[in-house]
Amino acid sequence: MRRDYNNDIVYKRFRQTVLKRDKFTCQMCEAKGKRARLQVHHIYKWASASSLRYDEQNGITLCRTCHKSITGKEDHYISYFLSILDKNA
């Protein structure tokens, strides 16, 4: 299933909830604002964890640069991202 960023109100709500929770800050490098080009990353992959797609505990805010740096290595970052969420809870 492909995400429809513009028309899926449930996905928009998920994204906004994660961004607000993370104070619109990359959780890896702490970049903020529009220049950071913030994105919401699914900790457990969208394709393989359909029950968690809209669960805010499965999302984390990353800047575009950090998001790109983990591409292809997402599984290696699961425990790291979960520990960040635990620390910030």
Side-chain angles (χ1 to χ4, degrees), residues 9-69:
I9 59 171
V10 179
Y11 183 77
K12 276 185 174 181
R13 190 175 325 130
F14 159 77
R15 187 175 185 283
Q16 283 302 309
T17 301
V18 173
L19 288 166
K20 285 178 188 175
R21 180 203 62 210
D22 293 344
K23 298 177 175 72
F24 295 90
T25 303
C26 176
Q27 299 300 292
M28 286 182 73
C29 74
E30 299 182 357
K32 298 178 185 185
K34 291 185 181 194
R35 297 188 119 186
R37 299 177 72 184
L38 297 174
Q39 302 176 347
V40 174
H41 170 70
H42 284 84
I43 297 170
Y44 293 98
K45 291 181 183 179
W46 172 271
S48 58
S50 60
S51 65
L52 299 174
R53 287 180 178 166
Y54 304 108
D55 183 338
E56 71 182 78
Q57 295 304 310
N58 187 41
I60 192 161
T61 302
L62 300 176
C63 69
R64 183 174 185 224
T65 302
C66 288
H67 202 190
K68 230 175 158 179
S69 76

